[in-house]
Amino acid sequence: DAVIPQEEALVERGALRVDGPLRAGTNVRRAAEDCRKGEKALAAGTLIQPGVVALLAALGVNWIEVRRPPRVAIVVTGNEVRRPTARSLPDWAVRDSHAAFLLAALQEFRIRPLLVSYARDRVSDIRRRIARALDRADLVIVTGGVSVGERDLVRPVLSALGVRTVFWGVAQRPGKPLYFGIRGNVAVFGLPGNPASTIVCYCEYVRPAIRGMMGYRRCYPEEWSARLATPIRPAGGRTRFLRGRLTVHGGAWTVSVIRRQASHMLGAFVGSDCLIVVPARVRRPLDVRSEVRVHPFPWRKS
């Protein structure tokens, strides 16, 4: 009714010597200890990681139903936008950082977009490229052209293509002109043209949507509490997402605000590893050691 491990067994003159008492059941592995017949081995929404694969193999389960990653299409708009490989640019042009960021960020889910398309600020061109994306993808991400300028043509085109607007405009900074719509089973995000706005809106909205489409139980950004190491001015009626850097002091998180927070600037993302959330209701400056919420970037290394 008990087992002594081979490496602990002492055999003398062909007999096993036991140096002390053994309780009944020691080192005995009983049937159904790990999983009983009729029990649920995996709940819906379980992430299939290597340990889960081992359990499935032990149970003889060779096929399971899973959520596939969504098929994603990216449409970049703007006459001024040039591919990152462009060697020289006119004074009024910019290299595309949107698609470069999205391609890198989507690698977290092993998603390779079906297409990355560049549209000029013409209704016919935008319509043709978005229509192609809508016909092929589960999730369409459009960058630029969603605000109120003369050449912000994306929203009227989406409406003409049968996309129902769920919301347009969020009381936040950066990323106020964010758009979200649906056509059938296809979700459409229109991200603002400023590069920092694109990254913030991806982290706060697009990534949670992808996680939801893939069946994750927890879709929203991870949220921590930290103490400010640098002061913050009031939000001014809109929720602000500031790029910050986390450090540990005395076993607790502290966070510093990175310089150059403007929505057209990307340099702050190099030294930052989180977004500091400053709610719209904050009307007074936040002093050093004030407690704030932070959303660590998905690519942050712990």
Side-chain angles (χ1 to χ4, degrees), residues 206-221:
V206 181
R207 182 176 180 269
I210 293 173
R211 288 175 63 87
M213 296 170 83
M214 292 180 66
Y216 281 84
R217 292 176 181 174
R218 299 179 62 182
C219 299
Y220 294 104

Side-chain angles (χ1 to χ4, degrees), residues 171-174 232-236 238-242 261 275-280:
Q172 70 176 54
R173 179 182 177 186
I232 294 177
R233 288 180 291 179
R238 283 189 276 173
T239 297
R240 293 170 68 196
F241 293 97
L242 303 174
Q261 292 282 334
L275 292 173
I276 304 169
V277 184
V278 185

Side-chain angles (χ1 to χ4, degrees), residues 208-261:
I210 293 173
R211 288 175 63 87
M213 296 170 83
M214 292 180 66
Y216 281 84
R217 292 176 181 174
R218 299 179 62 182
C219 299
Y220 294 104
E222 190 175 2
E223 189 167 274
W224 299 353
S225 178
R227 297 284 183 182
L228 282 176
T230 49
I232 294 177
R233 288 180 291 179
R238 283 189 276 173
T239 297
R240 293 170 68 196
F241 293 97
L242 303 174
R243 282 140 276 176
R245 181 187 296 114
L246 285 162
T247 54
V248 177
H249 286 290
W253 289 111
T254 63
V255 64
S256 303
V257 179
I258 303 295
R259 294 179 56 199
R260 299 176 181 174
Q261 292 282 334

Side-chain angles (χ1 to χ4, degrees), residues 36-180:
R36 293 182 176 273
K37 186 176 181 178
E39 282 186 349
K40 183 181 291 185
L42 290 181
T46 300
L47 177 65
I48 308 302
Q49 38 90 350
V52 172
V53 174
L55 173 63
L56 292 171
L59 295 173
V61 179
N62 297 306
W63 297 95
I64 59 171
E65 185 176 288
V66 298
R67 295 280 189 95
R68 64 167 172 79
R71 294 168 296 202
V72 177
I74 299 171
V75 179
V76 181
T77 70
N79 291 342
E80 76 282 8
V81 180
R82 296 291 185 269
R83 296 177 186 268
T85 52
R87 293 190 176 181
S88 60
L89 298 176
D91 290 342
W92 46 267
V94 295
R95 290 184 179 87
D96 169 37
S97 63
H98 299 151
F101 165 77
L102 291 170
L103 286 168
L106 290 171
Q107 288 183 16
E108 174 190 4
F109 304 105
R110 299 182 182 177
I111 293 176
R112 180 176 294 179
L114 299 172
L115 61 90
V116 178
S117 188
Y118 289 82
R120 297 297 179 216
D121 290 326
R122 296 193 300 271
V123 170
S124 59
D125 195 25
I126 295 173
R127 182 186 177 103
R128 176 172 60 87
R129 295 177 187 276
I130 292 181
R132 183 182 177 212
L134 288 169
D135 289 341
R136 298 180 61 187
D138 305 304
L139 173 63
V140 177
I141 304 173
V142 184
T143 66
V146 293
S147 191
V148 294
E150 291 181 0
R151 296 187 180 183
D152 287 318
L153 306 171
V154 169
R155 289 186 296 116
V157 168
L158 288 172
S159 179
L161 289 171
V163 179
R164 176 177 62 86
T165 300
V166 177
F167 67 81
W168 171 62
V170 182
Q172 70 176 54
R173 179 182 177 186
K176 180 183 177 182
L178 175 68
Y179 170 94
F180 178 67

